[in-house]
Structures are given as structure tokens and as C-alpha cells.
Coordinates of all heavy atoms in Angstrom, one line a residue:
M1 N 121.7 108.4 71.2 CA 122.2 108.4 69.9 C 122.7 107.0 69.4 O 123.4 106.3 70.2 CB 123.4 109.4 69.8 CG 123.8 109.8 68.4 SD 122.7 111.1 67.6 CE 123.2 112.6 68.5
D2 N 122.3 106.6 68.2 CA 122.7 105.3 67.8 C 124.2 105.1 67.5 O 124.8 106.0 67.0 CB 121.9 105.0 66.5 CG 120.4 104.7 66.7 OD1 120.0 104.5 67.8 OD2 119.7 104.7 65.6
L3 N 124.7 104.0 67.8 CA 126.1 103.6 67.5 C 126.1 102.8 66.3 O 125.4 101.7 66.2 CB 126.7 102.8 68.6 CG 126.7 103.4 70.0 CD1 127.4 102.5 71.0 CD2 127.4 104.8 70.1
I4 N 126.7 103.2 65.2 CA 126.7 102.5 63.9 C 128.2 102.1 63.6 O 129.0 103.0 63.5 CB 126.2 103.4 62.8 CG1 124.7 103.9 63.1 CG2 126.1 102.6 61.5 CD1 124.2 104.9 62.2
L5 N 128.4 100.8 63.6 CA 129.8 100.4 63.3 C 129.9 99.9 61.8 O 129.1 99.1 61.4 CB 130.1 99.2 64.1 CG 131.6 98.8 64.1 CD1 132.5 99.8 64.7 CD2 131.8 97.3 64.7
H6 N 130.8 100.6 61.1 CA 131.1 100.2 59.7 C 132.3 99.2 59.8 O 133.3 99.6 60.3 CB 131.5 101.5 58.9 CG 130.4 102.4 58.9 ND1 129.6 102.7 57.7 CD2 129.9 103.3 59.8 CE1 128.7 103.7 58.0 NE2 128.9 104.1 59.2
H7 N 132.1 98.0 59.3 CA 133.1 96.9 59.5 C 132.8 95.7 58.6 O 131.8 95.8 57.8 CB 132.9 96.5 61.0 CG 131.5 95.8 61.3 ND1 131.4 94.5 61.8 CD2 130.3 96.2 61.1 CE1 130.2 94.2 61.9 NE2 129.4 95.2 61.5
Y8 N 133.6 94.8 58.7 CA 133.3 93.5 58.0 C 133.7 92.4 58.9 O 134.5 92.5 59.7 CB 133.9 93.5 56.6 CG 135.4 93.6 56.6 CD1 136.3 92.5 56.5 CD2 136.0 94.9 56.4 CE1 137.6 92.7 56.5 CE2 137.3 95.1 56.3 CZ 138.2 94.0 56.3 OH 139.5 94.1 56.3
D9 N 133.1 91.2 58.6 CA 133.2 90.0 59.5 C 134.7 89.7 59.9 O 135.0 89.4 61.0 CB 132.5 88.8 59.0 CG 131.0 88.9 59.0 OD1 130.5 89.9 59.6 OD2 130.3 88.1 58.5
A10 N 135.5 89.5 58.8 CA 136.8 89.0 59.0 C 137.8 90.0 59.5 O 139.0 89.7 59.6 CB 137.3 88.4 57.7
S11 N 137.4 91.2 59.9 CA 138.4 92.2 60.3 C 138.7 92.1 61.9 O 137.8 92.2 62.7 CB 137.8 93.6 60.1 OG 138.3 94.6 60.9
P12 N 139.9 91.7 62.2 CA 140.2 91.6 63.7 C 140.1 92.8 64.5 O 139.7 92.8 65.6 CB 141.7 91.1 63.6 CG 142.1 90.8 62.3 CD 141.0 91.4 61.4
F13 N 140.5 94.0 63.9 CA 140.3 95.2 64.6 C 138.8 95.5 64.9 O 138.4 96.1 65.9 CB 140.9 96.4 63.9 CG 142.4 96.3 63.9 CD1 143.1 95.8 62.8 CD2 143.1 96.7 65.0 CE1 144.5 95.7 62.8 CE2 144.5 96.7 65.1 CZ 145.2 96.1 64.0
S14 N 137.9 95.1 63.9 CA 136.5 95.3 64.1 C 136.0 94.3 65.1 O 135.1 94.6 66.0 CB 135.7 95.0 62.8 OG 136.2 95.9 61.8
E15 N 136.6 93.0 65.2 CA 136.2 92.1 66.2 C 136.5 92.6 67.6 O 135.6 92.4 68.5 CB 136.9 90.7 66.0 CG 136.6 89.6 66.9 CD 135.2 89.1 66.9 OE1 134.4 89.6 66.0 OE2 134.9 88.2 67.7
K16 N 137.5 93.3 67.8 CA 137.9 93.9 69.1 C 136.7 94.8 69.6 O 136.3 94.7 70.7 CB 139.2 94.7 69.0 CG 139.8 95.2 70.2 CD 141.1 95.7 69.9 CE 141.1 97.0 69.1 NZ 142.4 97.6 68.9
V17 N 136.3 95.6 68.6 CA 135.2 96.6 69.0 C 133.9 95.8 69.2 O 133.1 96.1 70.2 CB 135.0 97.7 67.9 CG1 133.9 98.6 68.2 CG2 136.3 98.4 67.8
R18 N 133.6 94.8 68.4 CA 132.4 94.0 68.6 C 132.3 93.3 70.0 O 131.3 93.3 70.6 CB 132.3 93.0 67.5 CG 131.9 93.6 66.1 CD 131.7 92.6 65.0 NE 132.7 91.7 64.7 CZ 133.5 91.7 63.6 NH1 133.3 92.6 62.7 NH2 134.5 90.8 63.5
I19 N 133.5 92.8 70.3 CA 133.6 92.2 71.7 C 133.3 93.2 72.8 O 132.6 92.9 73.8 CB 135.0 91.5 71.9 CG1 135.1 90.3 71.0 CG2 135.3 91.2 73.3 CD1 136.4 89.7 70.9
V20 N 133.9 94.4 72.7 CA 133.7 95.4 73.7 C 132.2 95.8 73.7 O 131.6 96.0 74.8 CB 134.5 96.7 73.5 CG1 134.1 97.8 74.2 CG2 136.0 96.3 73.8
F21 N 131.5 95.8 72.6 CA 130.1 96.1 72.6 C 129.3 95.0 73.4 O 128.5 95.3 74.2 CB 129.5 96.1 71.1 CG 129.7 97.3 70.3 CD1 129.9 97.3 69.0 CD2 129.6 98.5 71.0 CE1 130.0 98.4 68.3 CE2 129.7 99.7 70.2 CZ 130.0 99.6 68.9
G22 N 129.8 93.8 73.3 CA 129.2 92.7 74.1 C 129.5 92.9 75.5 O 128.6 92.6 76.4
M23 N 130.7 93.2 75.9 CA 131.1 93.4 77.3 C 130.3 94.5 77.9 O 130.0 94.4 79.1 CB 132.6 93.7 77.4 CG 133.5 92.5 77.0 SD 135.2 93.0 77.0 CE 135.5 93.3 78.6
T24 N 130.1 95.6 77.2 CA 129.4 96.8 77.8 C 127.9 96.7 77.6 O 127.1 97.5 78.2 CB 129.9 98.0 77.2 OG1 129.7 98.0 75.8 CG2 131.4 98.3 77.5
G25 N 127.4 95.7 76.8 CA 126.0 95.5 76.6 C 125.3 96.6 75.9 O 124.1 96.8 76.0
Q26 N 126.1 97.3 75.1 CA 125.5 98.4 74.3 C 124.8 97.9 73.1 O 125.4 97.0 72.4 CB 126.6 99.5 73.9 CG 127.1 100.2 75.1 CD 128.3 101.0 74.7 OE1 128.2 102.3 74.5 NE2 129.5 100.4 74.5
A27 N 123.7 98.5 72.7 CA 123.1 98.3 71.4 C 123.9 99.0 70.3 O 124.4 100.0 70.5 CB 121.7 98.7 71.4
W28 N 124.0 98.3 69.2 CA 124.7 98.9 68.0 C 124.1 98.4 66.7 O 123.5 97.4 66.7 CB 126.2 98.7 68.1 CG 126.6 97.2 68.1 CD1 126.5 96.3 69.1 CD2 127.2 96.4 67.0 NE1 126.9 95.1 68.8 CE2 127.4 95.1 67.5 CE3 127.6 96.8 65.7 CZ2 127.9 94.1 66.6 CZ3 128.1 95.8 65.0 CH2 128.3 94.5 65.4
S29 N 124.3 99.2 65.7 CA 123.8 98.9 64.3 C 125.1 98.6 63.5 O 126.1 99.1 63.8 CB 123.0 100.0 63.7 OG 121.9 100.2 64.6
S30 N 124.8 97.8 62.5 CA 126.0 97.3 61.7 C 125.8 97.7 60.2 O 124.8 97.6 59.6 CB 125.9 95.8 61.7 OG 126.7 95.2 60.8
V31 N 126.9 98.3 59.7 CA 127.0 98.5 58.2 C 128.2 97.7 57.8 O 129.4 98.0 58.2 CB 127.2 100.0 57.9 CG1 127.4 100.2 56.4 CG2 126.0 100.8 58.3
I32 N 128.0 96.7 56.9 CA 129.1 95.9 56.3 C 129.8 96.7 55.2 O 129.1 97.1 54.2 CB 128.6 94.5 55.8 CG1 128.0 93.8 57.0 CG2 129.8 93.8 55.2 CD1 129.0 93.4 58.1
T33 N 131.1 96.9 55.3 CA 131.9 97.6 54.3 C 132.6 96.5 53.4 O 132.9 95.4 53.9 CB 132.9 98.5 54.8 OG1 133.9 97.7 55.6 CG2 132.3 99.5 55.7
P34 N 133.0 96.8 52.2 CA 133.9 95.9 51.4 C 135.2 95.8 52.1 O 135.6 96.8 52.8 CB 134.0 96.6 50.0 CG 133.0 97.7 50.0 CD 132.7 98.0 51.4
N35 N 136.0 94.7 51.9 CA 137.3 94.7 52.6 C 138.4 95.2 51.7 O 139.6 95.3 52.2 CB 137.6 93.2 53.1 CG 137.6 92.2 52.0 OD1 137.3 92.6 50.8 ND2 137.9 91.0 52.2
I36 N 138.2 95.5 50.4 CA 139.1 96.1 49.5 C 138.5 97.3 48.8 O 137.2 97.3 48.7 CB 139.7 95.2 48.5 CG1 138.6 94.5 47.7 CG2 140.6 94.1 49.1 CD1 139.1 93.7 46.5
M37 N 139.3 98.2 48.3 CA 138.8 99.4 47.6 C 138.2 98.9 46.3 O 138.6 97.9 45.8 CB 139.9 100.4 47.4 CG 140.5 101.0 48.6 SD 139.3 102.1 49.4 CE 139.7 103.7 48.5
P38 N 137.2 99.6 45.8 CA 136.6 100.9 46.3 C 135.6 100.6 47.3 O 135.0 99.5 47.5 CB 135.9 101.4 45.0 CG 135.5 100.2 44.2 CD 136.6 99.2 44.5
K39 N 135.5 101.7 48.2 CA 134.5 101.7 49.3 C 133.7 102.9 49.2 O 133.9 103.9 50.0 CB 135.3 101.6 50.6 CG 136.3 100.4 50.7 CD 136.9 100.3 52.0 CE 137.9 99.1 52.0 NZ 138.5 98.8 53.3
P40 N 132.8 103.0 48.2 CA 132.1 104.3 47.9 C 131.2 104.8 49.0 O 130.9 106.0 49.0 CB 131.4 103.9 46.6 CG 131.2 102.4 46.6 CD 132.4 101.9 47.3
D41 N 130.7 103.9 49.9 CA 129.9 104.4 51.0 C 130.7 104.8 52.2 O 130.1 105.6 53.0 CB 128.8 103.3 51.3 CG 127.9 103.0 50.2 OD1 127.6 103.9 49.4 OD2 127.5 101.8 50.2
L42 N 131.9 104.3 52.3 CA 132.7 104.6 53.5 C 133.5 105.9 53.4 O 133.6 106.7 54.2 CB 133.6 103.3 53.8 CG 134.4 103.6 55.1 CD1 133.5 103.5 56.4 CD2 135.5 102.5 55.2
T43 N 134.3 105.9 52.3 CA 135.3 107.0 52.2 C 134.7 108.4 52.1 O 135.3 109.3 52.7 CB 136.3 106.7 51.1 OG1 135.5 106.4 49.9 CG2 137.3 105.6 51.4
P44 N 133.5 108.6 51.5 CA 133.0 110.0 51.6 C 132.6 110.4 53.0 O 132.7 111.5 53.4 CB 131.7 109.9 50.7 CG 131.9 108.8 49.8 CD 132.8 107.8 50.6
L45 N 132.3 109.3 53.9 CA 131.9 109.5 55.2 C 133.1 110.0 56.1 O 133.0 110.8 57.0 CB 131.3 108.3 55.8 CG 130.4 108.3 57.1 CD1 129.2 109.1 56.9 CD2 130.1 106.8 57.4
T46 N 134.3 109.3 55.8 CA 135.4 109.5 56.6 C 136.4 110.5 56.1 O 137.4 110.8 56.8 CB 136.2 108.1 56.7 OG1 136.6 107.8 55.3 CG2 135.4 107.0 57.3
G47 N 136.2 111.0 54.9 CA 137.1 112.0 54.4 C 138.3 111.3 53.7 O 139.4 111.8 53.6
G48 N 138.1 110.0 53.4 CA 139.2 109.3 52.7 C 139.7 108.1 53.5 O 140.3 107.2 52.9
Y49 N 139.6 108.0 54.8 CA 140.1 106.9 55.6 C 139.3 105.7 55.2 O 138.1 105.6 55.0 CB 139.8 107.2 57.1 CG 140.3 106.1 58.0 CD1 141.7 106.0 58.3 CD2 139.5 105.1 58.5 CE1 142.2 105.1 59.2 CE2 140.0 104.1 59.4 CZ 141.3 104.1 59.7 OH 141.8 103.2 60.6
R50 N 140.1 104.5 54.9 CA 139.4 103.4 54.2 C 139.3 102.2 55.1 O 138.8 101.2 54.7 CB 140.2 103.1 53.0 CG 141.6 102.7 53.3 CD 142.3 102.1 52.0 NE 143.2 101.0 52.4 CZ 144.3 100.7 51.8 NH1 144.7 101.5 50.8 NH2 145.1 99.7 52.3
R51 N 139.9 102.2 56.3 CA 140.0 101.0 57.1 C 138.8 100.7 57.9 O 138.0 101.6 58.2 CB 141.3 101.0 57.9 CG 142.5 101.0 57.0 CD 143.8 101.0 57.8 NE 144.8 101.0 56.8 CZ 146.0 100.4 57.0 NH1 146.3 99.8 58.1 NH2 146.9 100.4 56.1
A52 N 138.7 99.5 58.3 CA 137.6 99.1 59.3 C 138.3 98.8 60.6 O 139.4 98.3 60.7 CB 136.9 97.8 58.8
P53 N 137.7 99.1 61.8 CA 136.3 99.6 61.8 C 136.3 101.2 61.9 O 137.2 101.9 62.1 CB 135.9 99.1 63.2 CG 137.2 99.2 64.0 CD 138.3 98.8 63.0
V54 N 135.0 101.7 61.6 CA 134.7 103.1 61.8 C 133.4 103.2 62.5 O 132.5 102.4 62.2 CB 134.6 103.8 60.4 CG1 133.9 105.2 60.5 CG2 135.9 103.9 59.6
L55 N 133.4 104.1 63.5 CA 132.2 104.2 64.3 C 131.5 105.5 64.0 O 132.2 106.5 63.9 CB 132.5 104.2 65.8 CG 131.3 104.3 66.8 CD1 130.4 103.1 66.7 CD2 131.8 104.5 68.2
Q56 N 130.2 105.5 63.8 CA 129.4 106.7 63.4 C 128.4 106.9 64.5 O 127.7 106.0 64.9 CB 128.7 106.4 62.1 CG 127.8 107.6 61.7 CD 127.1 107.3 60.5 OE1 127.2 106.2 59.9 NE2 126.2 108.3 60.0
I57 N 128.4 108.1 65.1 CA 127.4 108.5 66.1 C 126.9 109.8 65.7 O 127.5 110.8 65.8 CB 128.0 108.6 67.6 CG1 128.8 107.3 68.0 CG2 127.0 108.9 68.6 CD1 129.6 107.4 69.3
G58 N 125.7 109.8 65.1 CA 125.1 111.0 64.5 C 126.1 111.5 63.5 O 126.5 110.7 62.5
A59 N 126.5 112.7 63.5 CA 127.3 113.3 62.5 C 128.8 113.1 62.9 O 129.7 113.6 62.1 CB 127.0 114.8 62.3
D60 N 129.1 112.4 64.0 CA 130.5 112.3 64.4 C 131.1 110.9 63.9 O 130.4 109.9 64.1 CB 130.6 112.3 65.9 CG 130.3 113.8 66.5 OD1 130.5 114.7 65.8 OD2 129.7 113.7 67.6
I61 N 132.3 110.9 63.4 CA 132.9 109.8 62.8 C 134.2 109.5 63.5 O 135.1 110.4 63.6 CB 133.2 110.0 61.3 CG1 131.9 110.3 60.5 CG2 133.9 108.8 60.7 CD1 130.9 109.2 60.5
Y62 N 134.3 108.3 64.1 CA 135.6 107.8 64.8 C 136.3 106.8 64.0 O 135.8 105.7 63.8 CB 135.2 107.3 66.1 CG 134.4 108.3 67.0 CD1 133.0 108.5 66.9 CD2 135.1 109.2 67.8 CE1 132.3 109.4 67.6 CE2 134.4 110.2 68.5 CZ 133.0 110.3 68.4 OH 132.3 111.2 69.1
C63 N 137.5 107.1 63.6 CA 138.3 106.2 62.8 C 139.4 105.6 63.6 O 140.0 106.4 64.5 CB 139.0 107.0 61.6 SG 137.8 107.8 60.5
D64 N 139.7 104.4 63.6 CA 140.7 103.6 64.3 C 140.0 103.0 65.5 O 139.4 103.7 66.3 CB 141.9 104.6 64.7 CG 143.1 103.7 65.2 OD1 143.1 103.3 66.3 OD2 144.0 103.5 64.4
S65 N 140.3 101.7 65.8 CA 139.7 101.0 66.9 C 140.0 101.6 68.2 O 139.2 101.6 69.1 CB 140.1 99.5 66.8 OG 141.4 99.3 66.9
M66 N 141.3 102.1 68.5 CA 141.6 102.7 69.7 C 140.8 104.0 70.0 O 140.4 104.2 71.1 CB 143.1 102.9 69.9 CG 143.9 101.7 69.8 SD 143.5 100.4 71.1 CE 144.0 101.2 72.6
V67 N 140.7 104.8 68.9 CA 139.9 106.0 69.1 C 138.4 105.7 69.4 O 137.7 106.3 70.3 CB 140.0 106.9 67.8 CG1 139.0 108.0 67.8 CG2 141.4 107.3 67.5
I68 N 138.0 104.6 68.8 CA 136.6 104.1 69.1 C 136.4 103.6 70.5 O 135.5 104.0 71.2 CB 136.2 102.9 68.1 CG1 136.1 103.5 66.6 CG2 134.9 102.3 68.5 CD1 136.0 102.5 65.6
L69 N 137.4 102.8 71.0 CA 137.4 102.4 72.3 C 137.4 103.5 73.3 O 136.7 103.5 74.4 CB 138.5 101.3 72.7 CG 138.4 100.0 71.9 CD1 139.3 99.1 72.4 CD2 137.0 99.5 71.9
D70 N 138.2 104.5 73.1 CA 138.3 105.7 74.0 C 136.9 106.4 74.0 O 136.5 106.7 75.2 CB 139.3 106.8 73.5 CG 140.7 106.4 73.8 OD1 140.9 105.4 74.6 OD2 141.6 107.0 73.2
E71 N 136.2 106.5 72.9 CA 134.9 107.2 72.9 C 133.9 106.3 73.7 O 133.0 106.7 74.4 CB 134.4 107.4 71.4 CG 133.1 108.1 71.4 CD 133.1 109.5 72.0 OE1 134.1 110.1 72.4 OE2 131.9 109.9 72.2
L72 N 133.9 104.9 73.4 CA 133.0 104.0 74.1 C 133.2 104.1 75.7 O 132.3 104.1 76.4 CB 133.2 102.6 73.6 CG 132.7 102.4 72.1 CD1 133.0 100.9 71.7 CD2 131.3 102.8 72.0
Q73 N 134.5 104.1 76.1 CA 134.9 104.2 77.5 C 134.3 105.5 78.0 O 133.8 105.5 79.2 CB 136.4 104.2 77.6 CG 136.9 104.6 79.0 CD 136.7 103.4 80.0 OE1 136.4 102.3 79.7 NE2 136.8 103.7 81.3
R74 N 134.4 106.6 77.3 CA 133.9 107.9 77.8 C 132.4 107.8 78.0 O 131.8 108.4 78.9 CB 134.3 108.9 76.7 CG 134.1 110.4 77.2 CD 134.5 111.4 76.1 NE 133.5 111.4 75.1 CZ 132.3 112.0 75.2 NH1 131.9 112.6 76.3 NH2 131.5 112.0 74.2
R75 N 131.7 107.1 77.0 CA 130.2 107.1 77.0 C 129.7 106.1 78.1 O 128.7 106.3 78.6 CB 129.7 106.7 75.7 CG 129.8 107.9 74.7 CD 129.5 107.5 73.3 NE 129.5 108.6 72.5 CZ 128.4 109.3 72.1 NH1 127.2 108.9 72.6 NH2 128.4 110.4 71.4
A76 N 130.4 104.9 78.2 CA 129.8 103.8 79.0 C 130.9 103.1 79.6 O 131.3 102.0 79.2 CB 129.0 102.9 78.2
P77 N 131.6 103.6 80.7 CA 132.7 103.0 81.3 C 132.3 101.6 81.9 O 131.2 101.5 82.4 CB 133.2 103.9 82.4 CG 132.4 105.2 82.2 CD 131.3 104.9 81.3
L78 N 133.2 100.7 81.8 CA 133.0 99.4 82.5 C 133.1 99.6 83.9 O 133.9 100.3 84.4 CB 134.0 98.4 82.0 CG 133.9 97.8 80.5 CD1 135.1 96.9 80.2 CD2 132.6 97.0 80.4
P79 N 132.3 98.9 84.7 CA 132.3 99.0 86.2 C 133.6 98.3 86.8 O 134.2 97.4 86.1 CB 131.1 98.3 86.6 CG 130.8 97.3 85.6 CD 131.3 97.9 84.3
G80 N 133.9 98.6 88.0 CA 134.9 97.9 88.8 C 136.3 97.9 88.2 O 136.7 98.9 87.6
D81 N 137.1 96.9 88.5 CA 138.5 96.8 88.0 C 138.6 97.0 86.5 O 139.6 97.6 86.1 CB 139.1 95.5 88.4 CG 139.2 95.4 90.0 OD1 139.1 96.5 90.7 OD2 139.4 94.3 90.5
R82 N 137.7 96.4 85.8 CA 137.8 96.5 84.4 C 137.6 98.0 83.9 O 138.2 98.4 82.9 CB 136.7 95.6 83.7 CG 137.1 94.1 83.9 CD 136.2 93.2 83.1 NE 134.8 93.5 83.3 CZ 133.8 92.9 82.6 NH1 134.2 92.1 81.6 NH2 132.5 93.1 82.8
G83 N 136.7 98.7 84.7 CA 136.6 100.1 84.3 C 137.8 100.9 84.6 O 138.1 101.8 83.9
L84 N 138.5 100.5 85.7 CA 139.8 101.3 86.0 C 140.8 101.1 84.9 O 141.4 101.9 84.6 CB 140.3 100.8 87.4 CG 139.5 101.2 88.6 CD1 140.2 100.5 89.8 CD2 139.5 102.7 88.7
A85 N 140.9 99.8 84.5 CA 141.9 99.5 83.4 C 141.5 100.2 82.2 O 142.3 100.8 81.4 CB 142.0 98.0 83.2
G86 N 140.2 100.4 81.9 CA 139.7 101.1 80.7 C 139.7 100.2 79.5 O 140.4 99.2 79.4
L87 N 138.8 100.5 78.6 CA 138.8 99.8 77.4 C 140.0 99.9 76.6 O 140.3 99.1 75.8 CB 137.6 100.3 76.5 CG 136.2 100.1 77.3 CD1 135.0 100.6 76.4 CD2 136.0 98.6 77.5
R88 N 140.8 101.1 76.8 CA 142.0 101.2 76.0 C 143.0 100.1 76.4 O 143.7 99.5 75.5 CB 142.6 102.6 76.4 CG 144.0 102.8 75.9 CD 144.5 104.3 76.0 NE 143.9 104.9 74.8 CZ 144.6 105.1 73.7 NH1 145.8 104.7 73.5 NH2 144.0 105.7 72.6
G89 N 143.0 99.7 77.6 CA 143.8 98.6 78.1 C 143.5 97.3 77.4 O 144.4 96.6 76.9
I90 N 142.2 97.1 77.3 CA 141.7 95.9 76.6 C 142.2 96.0 75.1 O 142.6 95.0 74.6 CB 140.2 95.7 76.8 CG1 139.8 95.5 78.2 CG2 139.7 94.7 75.8 CD1 138.3 95.6 78.5
G91 N 142.1 97.1 74.6 CA 142.4 97.2 73.1 C 143.9 97.0 72.9 O 144.2 96.3 71.9
L92 N 144.8 97.5 73.8 CA 146.2 97.3 73.5 C 146.5 95.9 73.8 O 147.3 95.3 73.0 CB 147.0 98.2 74.5 CG 147.0 99.7 74.3 CD1 147.6 100.4 75.5 CD2 147.7 100.0 73.0
W93 N 145.9 95.2 74.8 CA 146.1 93.8 75.0 C 145.7 93.0 73.8 O 146.5 92.1 73.3 CB 145.3 93.4 76.3 CG 145.3 91.9 76.5 CD1 146.3 91.2 77.0 CD2 144.3 91.0 76.1 NE1 146.0 89.8 77.1 CE2 144.7 89.7 76.6 CE3 143.0 91.2 75.5 CZ2 144.0 88.5 76.3 CZ3 142.2 90.0 75.4 CH2 142.7 88.7 75.7
A94 N 144.5 93.3 73.2 CA 144.0 92.5 72.1 C 144.9 92.7 70.8 O 145.1 91.8 70.1 CB 142.6 92.9 71.8
D95 N 145.5 93.9 70.6 CA 146.3 94.2 69.5 C 147.6 93.4 69.5 O 148.1 92.9 68.4 CB 146.7 95.6 69.4 CG 145.5 96.5 68.9 OD1 144.5 96.0 68.5 OD2 145.7 97.8 69.0
R96 N 148.1 93.1 70.7 CA 149.3 92.4 70.8 C 149.1 90.9 70.9 O 150.1 90.1 71.0 CB 150.1 92.9 72.0 CG 150.7 94.2 71.6 CD 151.2 95.0 72.8 NE 151.5 96.4 72.3 CZ 151.3 97.5 73.0 NH1 151.0 97.4 74.2 NH2 151.5 98.7 72.5
Ligands
GSH101 N1 144.9 100.9 63.3 C1 143.6 100.6 62.8 C2 143.9 99.4 61.9 C3 142.6 99.0 61.0 C4 142.9 98.0 60.0 O1 144.1 97.7 59.6 N2 141.8 97.5 59.4 C5 141.9 96.5 58.3 C6 141.0 95.3 58.7 S1 141.4 94.5 60.2 C7 141.4 97.1 57.0 O2 140.4 97.8 57.0 N3 142.0 96.7 55.9 C8 141.5 97.0 54.6 C9 142.1 98.2 53.9 O3 143.1 98.7 54.4 O4 141.5 98.6 52.9 C10 142.6 100.3 63.8 O5 143.0 99.9 65.0 O6 141.4 100.3 63.6

């Protein structure tokens, strides 16, 4: 199933997810969203959530970068020590 990230270049929370895509080597597709309202293509998809990033996998929508990292970890865990720490650990580290 295709991973589609709704995001914009200057969004640091989106950058965190983009970096994890690079670390895990997963293919992904990009939809660029506006950085301010209105976001007519995003909010109908999310039920009103307006922030970036949002991950779309088929009909499933994941809002919030930590929720996204949890799902990516579940689908494609990193190997070795980095896998043990989990992508959530990387996410918390990056946020701070
Ligand atoms: N807790 C959220 C924060 C997301 C967030 O604040 N995104 C910012 C960009 S980095 C945003 O979309 N701001 C525009 C807006 O609020 O409309 C996450 O981890 O994904």
C-alpha cells in the first residue's frame, strides 16, 4: 500500500517523518499542503485536523508525527539497536 505524506517543505514535524523515510528506505509519495488555512484538500480528508504532517495509507489517515512514526515502526521496524529504541524514541529526541 502506498505511503502518501501530506506536508510542506518548511515544516519541522514533517522533516522528522521525511528523515525517518530516508532511514528506513521506504518509498513514499508527496502531497504539498498550504501552511496556513484554508486547506481545502487536507481538512476533508482528516475530519478537520489542519496540521502537517498527515500520513495517508489507503483509506487510513494518521494525524500527528508521533502517531505516524508509531505506524511506520509497526510496518517497517529499524534493525538492531535503532530498532529496539524504536522510531518513537527518535521522534521524541527530534522534538526536543
Ligand atoms: N504535534 C504535531 C504538531 C504539528 C504541527 O504543529 N505542524 C505545523 C507545522 S510544523 C503546522 O501544520 N502548522 C500550520 C497550522 O497549524 O495550520 C505533530 O507532531 O505532527
Side-chain angles (χ1 to χ4, degrees):
M1 194 78 76
D2 287 347
L3 305 180
I4 303 171
L5 190 69
H6 299 255
H7 66 126
Y8 56 91
D9 285 354
S11 157
F13 289 98
S14 301
E15 178 67 1
K16 188 173 65 172
V17 177
R18 293 187 296 252
I19 287 170
V20 165
F21 281 144
M23 292 172 69
T24 56
Q26 289 171 103
W28 58 286
S29 301
S30 167
V31 176
I32 299 296
T33 62
N35 60 359
I36 53 169
M37 294 291 270
K39 306 183 184 187
D41 295 330
L42 183 70
T43 46
L45 194 66
T46 59
Y49 184 80
R50 64 170 214 214
R51 296 183 176 210
V54 167
L55 181 66
Q56 178 184 0
I57 307 175
D60 295 325
I61 302 296
Y62 300 88
C63 301
D64 193 281
S65 61
M66 294 306 290
V67 173
I68 292 171
L69 294 191
D70 282 348
E71 181 60 16
L72 294 178
Q73 169 76 12
R74 196 182 69 75
R75 287 171 172 265
L78 288 174
D81 291 344
R82 292 192 302 176
L84 287 179
L87 296 179
R88 168 164 283 266
I90 293 169
L92 288 170
W93 171 79
D95 286 352
R96 283 167 194 148

